[in-house]
Amino acid sequence: MEKFIKLTDTAVPLPIENIDTDQIIPARFLKSTDKQGFGDNVFRDWRYDHEGNENKDFVLNDDTYGGSILVAGDNFGCGSSREHAAWAIAGYGFKVVISSFFADIFKGNALNNGILPIQVTPEYLKELLQIIKEKPETKLTIDLENQVLSSPAGELEFEIDPYKKVCMINGYDDIDFLISKKDKIEAFERERSF
Amino acid sequence: MAGKTLFDKVWDAHVVDTVPNGPQVLYIDKHLIHEVTSPQAFSELEERGIPVARPDQIVATADHNTPTIDQHLPVRDLLSRNQLKQLTENCEKHGITLYGLGHKYNGIVHVMAPELGITQPGMTMVCGDSHTSTHGAFGTIAFGIGTSQVAQVFASQCLLLTKPKSLRVNVNGKLKPNVLPKDVILYVISQIGTNAGTGYFCEYAGNVFEEMSMEGRMTVCNMSIEMGARGGMIAPDQTTFDYVKGREFAPEGAEWDKKLEYLKTLPTDADAVFDKEYSFDASQIEPMVTYGTNPGMGIKVTGTIPDKDDVNLEKALAYMNFKKGESLIDKPINYVFIGSCTNSRIEDFRIAANFVKGKQKAANVNAWLVPGSQQVAKQLVEEGLDKVFTEAGFALRQPGCSACLAMNDDKIPEGEYCVSTSNRNFEGRQGQGARTILASPLMAAATAVAGKITDITKQLN
């Protein structure tokens, strides 16, 4: 997993609520057996029409906006557990998603793929979306070590599980940690009554 | 000290270790896998040279990406065929039991595991599928995981997790006739919204759930994720024990008796306190339909679409081509789907068949019936329900996830409405541009016969 320490970049606004993982990556693209190429189809049915032409009014097709930070509406990533959604977000080039609320499974999947989900207050989100809309060149800074998001909407301390923070900063994942617990796991198996 | 919840008791019995100020290592009893969310996890292990830790605690099925006709022929779609081939190869290589296409135990993972007794009360179960919450109907901690977590369970039979908060949904009182478990859960979600359960594990309590069959409880728990909860549970009771006992992989004899004693200690203590609690009056619930693009956008079939200023509502209605304030009754419907891990069990087909018997499907309707498993398909024939359906003009297909997520060819065409017994009405879920209306198997059967949405309460009275 890639390390994440600090990032300063512009952001892409997507002020839609309840963006489910079927919108992030529709099921018909889940037939692949590797993790590559999902970025090409992120938000596929919003980005392209049925003939494969770009929908000009969708934000990813609007050159005004760009950057590796996605700022999205409330309850981002709800629905299916497909990690393909996280691979699609990362594959497109996003490293951070900011929203006022994240669905549980997506949040975990994001962290397991080096994408930082940052939860902000609904008021902060609203202001941030407005600022980006008016000034697309606005830069945001994310300092994971200090857990601070800085933007013209203000400095905001965000929360992250301390263990996950260490993983993100060092590029570790859970597999190595769990394997290191082998003895305890085997002891549990021996001693449990049910 | 306050008492423990059902969830606390099962969770605490599976904690292997606790990271100071961090997550816990939770032991997983059963890991279910399927073709879509497992290949990258197998690759991850291979790249790192890690073996599968407990292959005998993993069960595989092919369901998401499988055709529902001509399953005896090679799968036509090359990508799908390759994905299924990889599952077979991976299972062979790692010694994992696979119930592949055509096997007598094959079926949707959340239908076949309970009916075979793989799902047992008090267990922890995971699967790379968000509807793993279904198994909570047995008093099991069951939840969906991402592919990275599938790899973690492969490698260690454990997961690193932070214990979620506790939520209880109480529904007490008397349900009206023909209000089904699907209506109950659609009603609850319409009341509390699609993210009310995020960060929580839910317990369903009250006489309504106590009186439900296991099939009904599975329908309810299945949709826990649609209110954001990672899982939902119902306390195991005599109904649970009677269902599990004697099934293919259920414990037998003295082992079962010993386990039973333990299982009886699992229900939530009277003095346990939940972080959040909702209570509903069963008599207020009516047959439900959804009008929008998330499962929380539901109304009783006799109701009208909310009339309020809300951009999300407007976006949803633009997609569905519905108007604020209108009723859905008499809307022509050309597609009906009875199937999915929510409603494809024998009881669902009995209910539909009971309504359909002696009637004919409307000429405009394509009605697809997709049983959840080979076992359900077999039972349909044994009970003569297949004849009831085919005589009424319904198309009975072979088991799989089918039009619930439309990964295979079972897609609803653009712009068409489908009254569906599945769990998600997201944009494009059943095919690009398809418009999904979630409902119970009874509503779906009635729609197929009428060719339009009907006020079922009136018809049945």
Side-chain angles (χ1 to χ4, degrees):
Chain A
M1 202 171 78
E2 227 175 286
K3 291 179 187 182
F4 188 109
I5 297 164
K6 202 169 181 178
L7 177 76
T8 299
D9 205 353
T10 52
V12 177
L14 189 56
I16 298 170
E17 292 185 5
N18 298 311
I19 296 176
D20 58 77
T21 52
D22 271 85
Q23 307 316 315
I24 300 172
I25 186 85
R28 62 184 186 280
F29 298 111
L30 307 188
K31 297 181 181 183
S32 171
T33 51
D34 61 36
K35 298 182 186 177
Q36 308 309 314
F38 291 104
D40 296 341
N41 293 312
V42 71
F43 301 114
R44 174 78 199 195
D45 292 341
W46 290 347
R47 250 164 104 191
Y48 302 98
D49 66 16
H50 289 196
E51 280 75 49
N53 306 307
E54 284 188 358
N55 287 329
K56 288 293 172 205
D57 49 0
F58 186 62
V59 69
L60 294 191
N61 298 325
D62 184 347
D63 293 340
T64 320
Y65 303 102
S68 57
I69 302 166
L70 179 66
V71 184
D74 198 63
N75 199 24
F76 186 81
C78 57
S80 158
S81 61
R82 60 188 70 160
E83 195 158 318
H84 312 66
W87 301 332
I89 297 273
Y92 185 80
F94 290 119
K95 294 186 166 70
V96 172
V97 184
I98 298 173
S99 176
S100 49
F101 202 82
F102 289 92
D104 281 337
I105 305 180
F106 176 80
K107 192 175 175 180
N109 288 343
L111 288 165
N112 283 334
N113 286 280
I115 305 163
L116 183 63
I118 298 181
Q119 188 170 329
V120 298
T121 62
E123 297 73 34
Y124 189 98
L125 180 70
K126 201 175 163 194
E127 201 185 334
L128 183 59
L129 284 165
Q130 192 59 36
I131 290 167
I132 298 165
K133 200 178 157 196
E134 285 166 8
K135 286 189 177 170
E137 69 279 12
T138 303
K139 291 215 168 173
L140 283 59
T141 295
I142 291 107
D143 174 355
L144 179 54
E145 211 123 42
N146 295 304
Q147 296 177 227
V148 174
L149 162 66
S150 313
S151 81
E155 278 208 351
L156 181 136
E157 259 186 56
F158 60 86
E159 285 183 27
I160 181 170
D161 180 276
Y163 165 81
K164 276 291 167 196
K165 180 177 166 180
V166 173
C167 290
M168 289 284 287
I169 288 173
N170 296 292
Y172 297 158
D173 66 22
D174 292 352
I175 289 188
D176 296 319
F177 180 87
L178 286 166
I179 288 178
S180 75
K181 296 283 169 190
K182 193 168 180 250
D183 291 346
K184 284 203 169 174
I185 294 168
E186 285 174 357
F188 173 88
E189 286 175 325
R190 274 194 310 275
E191 287 156 22
R192 66 185 307 208
S193 34
F194 291 99
Chain B
M1 207 178 103
K4 283 180 154 192
T5 65
L6 163 66
F7 176 80
D8 290 334
K9 293 180 194 183
V10 180
W11 177 279
D12 292 350
H14 289 84
V15 173
V16 171
D17 199 13
T18 300
V19 180
N21 299 318
Q24 292 182 299
V25 178
L26 193 79
Y27 191 81
I28 303 301
D29 293 319
K30 279 278 182 262
H31 185 191
L32 308 171
I33 63 168
H34 61 84
E35 74 276 23
V36 177
T37 58
S38 67
Q40 293 88 350
F42 281 114
S43 307
E44 178 86 38
L45 252 65
E46 264 155 49
E47 282 162 23
R48 296 162 74 150
I50 303 169
V52 173
R54 299 286 178 271
D56 55 338
Q57 284 169 245
I58 307 171
V59 177
T61 185
D63 58 1
H64 278 65
N65 199 0
T66 54
T68 55
I69 46 171
D70 294 333
Q71 286 187 352
H72 61 290
L73 298 177
V75 175
R76 275 187 305 177
D77 181 293
L78 281 181
L79 288 171
S80 303
R81 197 199 301 173
N82 180 49
Q83 208 172 44
L84 293 163
K85 186 168 152 261
Q86 281 230 1
L87 180 70
T88 307
E89 287 172 2
N90 283 327
C91 288
E92 277 173 7
K93 199 164 168 185
H94 297 279
I96 294 166
T97 301
L98 165 67
Y99 301 130
L101 218 48
H103 191 284
K104 67 173 178 174
Y105 291 157
N106 174 258
I108 305 175
V109 61
H110 311 310
V111 177
M112 53 75 74
E115 73 188 3
L116 293 173
I118 294 168
T119 305
Q120 292 162 27
M123 276 185 167
T124 50
M125 293 179 79
V126 294
C127 175
D129 186 283
S130 60
H131 293 109
T132 308
S133 58
T134 309
H135 309 266
F138 292 79
T140 305
I141 291 185
F143 54 92
I145 56 177
T147 297
S148 294
Q149 291 176 305
V150 172
Q152 290 160 26
V153 183
F154 280 162
S156 67
Q157 203 55 35
C158 287
L159 280 174
L160 262 177
L161 298 164
T162 303
K163 192 176 179 179
K165 288 181 279 188
S166 63
L167 160 70
R168 182 158 63 183
V169 171
N170 305 286
V171 185
N172 282 292
K174 195 170 160 34
L175 286 176
K176 289 179 180 160
N178 300 305
V179 170
L180 300 181
K182 182 65 163 287
D183 300 311
V184 174
I185 190 63
L186 282 174
Y187 175 81
V188 169
I189 301 169
S190 77
Q191 297 299 304
I192 69 177
T194 52
N195 63 12
T198 307
Y200 294 83
F201 221 89
C202 179
E203 179 176 343
Y204 300 95
N207 69 291
V208 165
F209 304 111
E210 286 163 18
E211 290 158 18
M212 269 182 198
S213 66
M214 286 315 293
E215 284 88 350
R217 293 178 189 185
M218 283 190 254
T219 299
V220 169
C221 290
N222 173 276
M223 291 193 70
S224 303
I225 186 69
E226 310 312 336
M227 59 184 190
R230 197 86 182 252
M233 302 173 89
I234 294 173
D237 59 9
Q238 201 54 46
T239 305
T240 322
F241 307 142
D242 290 345
Y243 180 96
V244 175
K245 196 181 174 185
R247 289 189 184 260
E248 185 77 30
F249 299 106
E252 291 172 5
E255 193 196 344
W256 171 255
D257 295 337
K258 194 175 158 217
K259 190 158 185 190
L260 205 54
E261 288 310 306
Y262 165 69
L263 296 177
K264 285 178 180 170
T265 68
L266 290 181
T268 295
D269 297 334
D271 58 343
V273 180
F274 287 80
D275 294 312
K276 190 152 83 170
E277 202 151 5
Y278 296 101
S279 293
F280 298 102
D281 173 0
S283 68
Q284 297 299 309
I285 307 174
E286 293 194 20
M288 297 286 294
V289 284
T290 61
Y291 57 85
T293 53
N294 73 53
M297 292 176 163
I299 48 173
K300 52 189 182 183
V301 64
T302 54
T304 53
I305 295 173
D307 188 355
K308 57 178 180 184
D309 285 328
D310 177 343
V311 288
N312 296 301
L313 174 68
E314 280 152 17
K315 184 174 181 293
L317 294 184
Y319 182 85
M320 295 298 289
N321 196 27
F322 288 149
K323 292 182 199 71
K324 289 179 188 176
E326 74 174 339
S327 157
L328 295 194
I329 288 174
D330 290 339
K331 289 275 180 196
I333 303 291
N334 294 333
Y335 287 83
V336 168
F337 172 60
I338 302 182
S340 86
C341 57
T342 314
N343 284 118
S344 66
R345 298 181 180 84
I346 189 65
E347 186 179 280
D348 302 314
F349 291 106
R350 284 185 194 135
I351 287 164
N354 190 41
F355 181 87
V356 164
K357 197 166 190 173
K359 300 185 180 84
Q360 275 298 312
K361 170 189 80 66
N364 61 308
V365 173
N366 293 284
W368 297 341
L369 301 176
V370 182
S373 68
Q374 292 287 354
Q375 297 289 306
V376 174
K378 192 172 143 227
Q379 218 169 335
L380 280 174
V381 175
E382 283 165 6
E383 296 185 18
L385 305 185
D386 59 328
K387 285 201 188 68
V388 173
F389 287 123
T390 45
E391 279 166 14
F394 286 67
L396 188 56
R397 292 176 165 243
Q398 291 170 301
C401 298
S402 181
C404 173
L405 85 165
M407 265 193 88
N408 64 4
D409 290 337
D410 305 350
K411 296 184 201 315
I412 309 302
E414 183 178 5
E416 290 285 355
Y417 292 104
C418 177
V419 170
S420 176
T421 66
S422 54
N423 40 56
R424 289 188 174 135
N425 49 352
F426 297 155
E427 287 184 27
R429 172 83 178 178
Q430 296 193 290
Q432 274 180 282
R435 294 163 172 156
T436 303
I437 297 166
L438 301 176
S440 76
L442 182 58
M443 271 299 308
T447 304
V449 168
K452 58 187 182 178
I453 296 182
T454 54
D455 179 0
I456 190 139
T457 52
K458 220 180 262 171
Q459 272 206 36
L460 294 163
N461 295 340

